[in-house]
Amino acid sequence: MAVSDGTERIRDPWGERTPYGPGERWPIRVDENCPAGVDAWFRSASVLHSNGDAMDIGVRDGRIVGVRGVATDRVNRGRLGPKDLYGWRSVHSPDRLTRPLVREGDRLVETDWDTAMGRIVERSKQLLARPGGWGRFGFYTSGQLFLEEYYTLAVIGKAGLGTPHMDGNTRLCTATAAAALKASFGTDGQPGSYTDVDHCDAIALWGHNVAETQTVLWARMLDRRRGGARPAMLAVDPRTTPVAREADVHLAPRPGTNLALVNGILRLIIHNGQSDPAYVRAHTIGFEELCRVVDSYTPARVAEICDLRAADLERAAELVGGAYRLLSTVLQGFYQSNQATAAACAVNNLHLIRGMLGRPGAGLYQMNGQPTAQNTRETGADGDLPGLRNWANATHIRQLAELWNVDGTTIPHWAPPTHAMQIFRYAEQGSIRLLWISATNPAVSLPELARIRRTLSSADLMVVVQDLYRTETTELADVVLPAAGWGEKLGTFTNADRTVHLSEKAVEPPGEARADLDIFLDYAARMDFRDRDGRPLIGWRDAEGAFEAWKRCSAGRPCDYTGITYEKLRAGTGIQWPCTADRPHGTERLYTEGIFHTDPDYCETYGQDLSTGAEHTAQEYRAKEPRGRAFLHAAHYRPAPEVPDEEYPFMLTTGRTVYHFHTRTKTARAPELNAAAPDVWVELHADDAARLGIGDGDRVRVTSPRGEMFAPARIADVRPGTVFVPFHYGCFDAPGRVAANELTVTAWDPVSKQPLFKVAAVRIGKG
Ligand SMILES: Nc1nc2c(c(=O)[nH]1)N[C@H]1C(S)=C(S)[C@@H](COP(=O)(O)OP(=O)(O)OC[C@H]3O[C@@H](n4cnc5c(=O)[nH]c(N)nc54)[C@H](O)[C@@H]3O)O[C@H]1N2
Ligand SMILES: Nc1nc2c(c(=O)[nH]1)N[C@H]1C(S)=C(S)[C@@H](COP(=O)(O)OP(=O)(O)OC[C@H]3O[C@@H](n4cnc5c(=O)[nH]c(N)nc54)[C@H](O)[C@@H]3O)O[C@H]1N2
Ligand SMILES: [Mo]
């Protein structure tokens, strides 16, 4: 279905319904936005969310002129969302970076690649010449590069430099997904498949505004809701999002109280006799402790903590407790909120005690957000070890040392890898002296921006930024490297249901911009990293070579790619890992036999205390004798580190709108998307607005202990006492504009180390 005029999918982000019933195949609907004629199509997938919608890029005269969905692909069956239909226009924006820049005093000046790389290499060698020099390097990467790029970066960091200070912005995004999957099931990896939407009889969305953030997945859910035997729906969100409007039951808890809420639901399910004792006995550990912990979360107590009606909690428990095929998705309303990992694990508990895993319709998503976040985690570019290996397992370290032919002591594994918030702390304190930032814009997306700007501006710190455009972050850099982006380079990436897609190079990058892979390979060559036998550490020269090297690294691990080739990925649909010689078409669902990845020799972690984050030892873990059973982790609710008080009486929560992606470097350069949401706003409840004398559209001031911002008010269906601000709006297109993260707090979940973007105390008033 071609988008007929320029704004159709802006007005209706989900498009026409194609209803279907349980167990039927989701009908095909091909979305296209291709205003000009096309010479050639190139296969790819969306990079503006984690859904992995397959699409073709239309090219004419060497330029991208449109996109269309891929009808044969398992993920989207032809559909595309607004950001994908319009976002490609940003590729040929006239203000792309085309040459490297270096800092001369207070200015960034254009230069050539030799000069820019020369500066980085000179600093690197100086740092390495000193004892412990590896500790001076920090890498902060993304959930938006390709698998091949992350793997190359991971090898440079872990086997070339030997630094533990490497993380992705995935720490802000899906660190909790990874932590919760590891904690409950032994390793990362989503148990379910998107086809669970086709089979389920209930859908629970835990802090996930899927309608705005994965529009095609939402279209699939809506199509089931408009077909026969529609699945029931639960939404848990303090705002009345489109998801909440559609849902049969909407719980709008006080932000930061998710754990109490899910504990309350678990208690009701157990009391109502809706757990599956046979499954619990055969496949889990920890049920008695779980019962003990949740027992005090009576409906009345939960209603008090979360500020809900007890009857609504009971309806929610009936909905998820009575389902035969329950599909859950969890996202930022849990991950960026108080007690993130414990709350996400509580949803895992719900699926485990009800035996809702490993069969069609009984699916669980600890969702991803960014398009390639799964790959950051798999390849170890976020500090995890490549192949979902366990840093505390000596055998896993030995495997990597053999694979890379390096001394095992080079590979950092003596302590947990350094998480992003700590990397910035080291940079602030001056122990990190070279911080290399790729494909992320921390000067808008990290909490407490005044502190981030101060850190990045420090004279002792060399900041390298690799991006497509000038951003709030490049302006603080010492070296800026112009990168080739989506459509301009070849590589693979993996969506939230483990589906791997290939993204072809459709056009040449502008000017001297280079693929991130080539930049990392160039650095490795200039640094002359060698293996134990004096051969170059990195033996590949292109994307396919990197992919083949990665396949060897993934062999035998949960994310086994050994059965995938670029050629297979060109055949019409993505492929779900694990994909091996025995399973050449990939694997639709994990844990179909109820056997989990918790064996001590195989698991990715020996576990952590959910309340404090304290690491358990191998010995402690072995003593639990998991034998393939999953862990039921129970924890008590505790209030968020920052809660409203007299001075700051409101709770600020932040998030997204359907039209923009993150800090808008791409979507603000796509005219249709930019016009749909050109500037920031503040959502507040009508009662709060009336009390403060604020009318719709009035300018308001929002103040936290860390900063203040001004924006027009939008009277909205957010719960009383809570205000919501989209975090998309920095100052690159409007000097003086202040981003939401000026206000947010530097605090993180003790287990996943994910920052708490959803809970800060503020005061508001007319501005
Ligand atoms: N349009 C669009 N789509 C995107 C992106 C984008 O920027 N724009 N980004 C992609 C990425 S990287 C990600 S991570 C995902 C994020 O996707 P989502 O998680 O769906 O998006 P958010 O808006 O961050 O948060 C979801 C909801 O959490 C609610 N919330 C806030 N505090 C709480 C709380 O304490 N408890 C509960 N239960 N809910 C709370 C908010 O009201 C919000 O509606 O989206 C992906 N897709
Ligand atoms: N308050 C608040 N803050 C948040 C959140 C929230 O909900 N509330 N959400 C958090 C989450 S979930 C996320 S994922 C982060 C996102 O935060 P960021 O990662 O900072 O956001 P982006 O705007 O996506 O930045 C990506 C950058 O990479 C560039 N880029 C894109 N493709 C390529 C490429 O191929 N190569 C190179 N070299 N560069 C490329 C883009 O131009 C852009 O500048 O924000 C987090 N911050
Ligand atoms: Mo994210």
Side-chain angles (χ1 to χ4, degrees):
M1 186 176 61
V3 170
S4 57
D5 71 40
T7 57
E8 180 182 306
R9 200 49 61 76
I10 299 290
R11 288 193 307 275
D12 174 12
W14 309 291
E16 213 174 275
R17 294 281 54 76
T18 50
Y20 70 125
E24 290 169 14
R25 277 195 98 180
W26 190 26
I28 287 171
R29 182 192 88 192
V30 177
D31 294 341
E32 178 177 324
N33 179 19
C34 197
V38 164
D39 300 334
W41 292 101
F42 295 85
R43 188 55 50 88
S44 184
S46 313
V47 284
L48 298 175
H49 50 77
S50 60
N51 214 51
D53 300 330
M55 62 163 111
D56 288 324
I57 303 175
V59 173
R60 181 176 185 169
D61 299 332
R63 289 173 73 85
I64 297 179
V65 291
V67 293
R68 71 171 180 212
V70 177
T72 50
D73 195 88
R74 63 175 305 278
V75 171
N76 55 324
R77 317 250 312 140
R79 289 162 192 76
L80 294 175
K83 292 200 295 340
D84 299 310
L85 285 167
Y86 305 110
W88 53 269
R89 290 190 189 274
S90 65
V91 172
H92 298 302
S93 175
D95 60 355
R96 282 284 301 274
L97 282 166
T98 56
R99 298 196 67 201
L101 308 173
V102 288
R103 181 161 299 280
E104 297 296 344
D106 57 3
R107 288 190 329 126
L108 286 169
V109 296
E110 285 196 354
T111 188
D112 54 40
W113 276 98
D114 271 338
T115 307
M117 293 304 286
R119 287 204 186 181
I120 304 169
V121 168
E122 186 192 326
R123 168 66 73 113
S124 299
K125 289 190 170 161
Q126 271 168 8
L127 295 176
L128 280 179
R130 298 273 181 88
W134 45 262
R136 304 277 179 178
F137 292 78
F139 290 86
Y140 183 49
T141 189
S142 184
Q144 298 174 44
L145 297 180
F146 291 165
L147 181 152
E148 294 78 358
E149 299 174 326
Y150 296 131
Y151 183 57
T152 304
L153 180 63
V155 178
I156 289 173
K158 288 168 185 30
L161 296 165
T163 180
H165 310 320
M166 179 181 288
D167 202 357
N169 66 356
T170 45
R171 187 66 61 183
L172 323 181
C173 183
T174 54
T176 303
L181 291 167
K182 290 184 215 179
S184 298
F185 309 131
T187 68
D188 197 344
Q190 303 292 351
S193 161
Y194 284 154
T195 57
D196 290 331
V197 179
D198 312 347
H199 298 279
C200 65
D201 61 15
I203 302 174
L205 299 139
W206 310 91
H208 184 190
N209 183 11
V210 57
E212 297 200 62
T213 57
Q214 281 157 293
T215 55
V216 169
L217 183 59
W218 180 241
R220 195 169 190 151
M221 294 174 178
L222 281 183
D223 285 347
R224 271 301 313 280
R225 297 267 298 173
R226 301 294 174 268
R230 67 182 212 162
M233 187 175 277
L234 166 69
V236 181
D237 194 307
R239 296 187 304 145
T240 307
T241 59
V243 175
R245 275 196 290 278
E246 171 72 20
D248 303 299
V249 180
H250 173 207
L251 299 180
R254 192 175 265 141
T257 62
N258 296 313
L259 181 58
L261 184 149
V262 189
N263 277 351
I265 290 181
L266 289 169
R267 178 187 172 280
L268 284 166
I269 286 173
I270 294 166
H271 278 234
N272 296 343
Q274 288 166 319
S275 66
D276 178 342
Y279 193 93
V280 168
R281 234 185 345 268
H283 302 298
T284 70
I285 303 180
F287 186 63
E288 279 161 27
E289 173 66 9
L290 176 70
C291 292
R292 229 185 338 267
V293 169
V294 302
D295 202 51
S296 61
Y297 294 84
T298 59
R301 179 164 173 236
V302 173
E304 170 85 34
I305 295 172
C306 305
D307 188 22
L308 297 167
R309 286 201 310 234
D312 288 340
L313 188 79
E314 283 164 355
R315 286 173 63 214
E318 263 165 45
L319 192 153
V320 295
Y324 294 101
R325 294 162 186 262
L326 171 66
L327 172 64
S328 279
T329 77
V330 189
L331 201 48
Q332 300 309 352
F334 273 49
Y335 299 169
Q336 294 173 341
S337 195
N338 182 39
Q339 297 184 289
T341 308
C345 283
V347 178
N348 293 345
N349 293 344
L350 167 63
H351 279 256
L352 286 166
I353 68 168
R354 298 217 56 231
M356 290 287 161
L357 284 163
R359 50 192 174 81
L364 170 62
Y365 278 93
Q366 296 292 346
M367 252 308 162
N368 292 344
Q370 290 176 91
T372 77
Q374 189 67 46
N375 307 108
T376 319
R377 280 147 45 188
E378 291 162 12
T379 59
D382 65 345
D384 285 329
L385 284 180
L388 309 181
R389 286 178 173 83
N390 181 351
W391 63 267
N393 180 329
T395 310
H396 288 188
I397 302 295
R398 211 160 36 240
Q399 288 166 356
L400 290 175
E402 277 166 23
L403 178 74
W404 297 332
N405 192 27
V406 296
D407 197 308
T409 55
T410 314
I411 303 171
H413 65 280
W414 49 91
T418 317
H419 61 90
M421 300 301 289
Q422 190 63 33
I423 290 176
F424 276 82
R425 181 88 182 127
Y426 288 151
E428 182 178 39
Q429 290 171 327
S431 71
I432 285 181
R433 293 295 177 94
L434 170 59
L435 181 59
W436 190 329
I437 297 169
S438 46
T440 179
N441 188 9
V444 181
S445 57
L446 280 177
E448 211 182 337
L449 290 177
R451 175 178 167 244
I452 300 303
R453 279 192 300 274
R454 222 166 33 240
T455 303
L456 293 179
S457 311
S458 147
D460 294 336
L461 178 70
M462 177 184 263
V463 176
V464 179
V465 179
Q466 196 164 307
D467 206 294
L468 312 176
Y469 310 98
R470 285 182 84 144
T471 66
E472 292 83 347
T473 306
T474 60
E475 300 317 287
L476 304 169
D478 298 291
V479 180
V480 178
L481 303 176
W486 172 84
E488 298 167 341
K489 61 182 181 182
L490 177 67
T492 56
F493 54 94
T494 307
N495 79 344
D497 87 337
R498 293 174 283 104
T499 303
V500 185
H501 285 114
L502 183 71
S503 187
E504 302 275 8
K505 176 173 173 176
V507 295
E508 289 299 325
E512 295 172 27
R514 300 169 69 184
D516 297 274
L517 177 66
D518 294 329
I519 299 173
F520 294 142
L521 288 175
D522 184 30
Y523 178 70
R526 288 174 194 259
M527 290 297 290
D528 199 25
F529 295 125
R530 300 269 159 177
D531 71 8
R532 236 178 339 208
D533 298 324
R535 284 191 294 260
L537 173 67
I538 292 178
W540 52 92
R541 288 160 189 279
D542 57 16
E544 193 159 5
F547 187 75
E548 291 299 318
W550 161 250
K551 279 162 66 175
R552 288 192 289 282
C553 181
S554 75
R557 296 299 299 160
C559 53
D560 194 322
Y561 282 65
T562 50
I564 305 181
T565 59
Y566 274 21
E567 199 188 324
K568 257 172 132 170
L569 291 173
R570 291 191 168 109
T573 184
I575 302 172
Q576 286 173 289
W577 64 245
C579 175
T580 58
D582 298 346
R583 293 168 169 275
H585 306 296
T587 306
E588 180 140 43
R589 288 182 184 80
L590 305 184
Y591 314 130
T592 48
E593 314 293 322
I595 298 165
F596 295 89
H597 294 159
T598 49
D599 184 277
D601 298 325
Y602 192 73
C603 66
E604 199 180 349
T605 174
Y606 294 133
Q608 282 165 276
D609 182 279
L610 282 200
S611 302
T612 63
E615 304 271 347
H616 297 157
T617 64
Q619 216 174 2
E620 285 165 334
Y621 186 86
R622 282 183 191 278
K624 293 180 188 151
E625 300 186 9
R627 294 195 307 271
R629 290 172 296 170
F631 293 102
L632 293 164
H633 287 289
H636 279 289
Y637 161 75
R638 291 202 179 84
E642 192 166 276
V643 290
D645 57 16
E646 266 169 35
E647 203 181 344
Y648 300 101
F650 283 85
M651 185 62 106
L652 167 72
T653 196
T654 61
R656 297 164 162 76
T657 172
V658 67
Y659 303 114
H660 278 298
F661 185 62
H662 298 167
T663 72
R664 293 176 306 122
T665 63
K666 290 180 176 173
T667 49
R669 290 180 170 87
E672 294 90 345
L673 296 169
N674 194 47
D679 214 335
V680 65
W681 69 91
V682 179
E683 287 179 21
L684 72 168
H685 189 270
D687 295 350
D688 292 328
R691 205 160 31 83
L692 296 165
I694 295 170
D696 199 48
D698 286 355
R699 199 169 110 112
V700 293
R701 177 206 297 259
V702 188
T703 315
S704 87
R706 294 155 295 274
E708 68 178 3
M709 65 176 293
F710 296 88
R714 236 183 234 185
I715 309 300
D717 245 346
V718 56
R719 47 168 289 125
T722 295
V723 296
F724 173 88
V725 181
F727 84 101
H728 303 296
Y729 298 89
C731 63
F732 79 86
D733 56 338
R737 191 201 279 135
V738 166
N741 276 323
E742 301 288 345
L743 276 58
T744 46
V745 59
T746 300
W748 53 82
D749 180 63
V751 184
S752 68
K753 318 292 192 262
Q754 185 159 348
L756 271 57
F757 292 113
K758 300 288 194 250
V759 279
V762 294
R763 96 176 145 251
I764 53 177
K766 256 186 150 157

